[in-house]
Amino acid sequence: MKVSKSFEVFAKEAPEVQSAWMETIHKLDAASTLDKKTEELAYIAVMAAVRLESGIPFHVKMAKSNGATRSEIISAILVGLPAVGNTVINALPIAIDAYEED
């Protein structure tokens, strides 16, 4: 799966830091007791809430590959609506486009 342009540049321009970051990510992932689908849906919700839209396509594809439905992706994005307001809706077209890509 393709990562965001920002993450590609990060890996190219700071490979040692990116490697350390990925090691941390893998350790955090291993420590999580959530199943992979739930973890990805939760991560999508957080990304939408903090407006980190560049990573949403990658994580939507990960969620989909772990069994998430289109409606679950949409619900994950909208779950933050009461807490952070309608800024989360900016993530909807990005997520839907990524979900519908082959």
Side-chain angles (χ1 to χ4, degrees), residues 15 18 20 100:
Q18 191 265 354
E100 292 178 351

Side-chain angles (χ1 to χ4, degrees), residues 3 12 36 42 44-46 56 61 63 69 76 87 91-92 99:
V3 296
K12 180 182 176 194
K36 296 302 179 197
I44 290 165
V46 170
I56 288 176
K61 290 175 191 292
T69 65
T87 61
L92 281 174
Y99 191 87

Side-chain angles (χ1 to χ4, degrees), residues 4-83:
S4 69
K5 180 70 174 168
S6 299
F7 208 82
E8 287 177 357
V9 172
F10 176 43
K12 180 182 176 194
E13 299 298 330
E16 297 85 11
V17 176
Q18 191 265 354
S19 178
W21 178 253
M22 291 307 298
E23 183 179 332
T24 300
I25 296 300
H26 290 299
K27 287 179 179 179
L28 290 169
D29 187 49
S32 176
T33 59
L34 296 174
D35 63 85
K36 296 302 179 197
K37 180 178 100 169
T38 303
E39 187 173 351
E40 288 296 336
L41 290 170
Y43 200 70
I44 290 165
V46 170
M47 293 181 90
V50 300
R51 302 186 73 180
L52 190 58
E53 286 105 1
S54 66
I56 288 176
F58 177 86
H59 288 283
V60 164
K61 290 175 191 292
M62 291 291 291
K64 184 178 179 181
S65 73
N66 282 289
T69 65
R70 187 177 189 271
S71 63
E72 287 174 321
I73 299 291
I74 292 169
S75 291
I77 289 169
L78 296 179
V79 75
L81 196 58

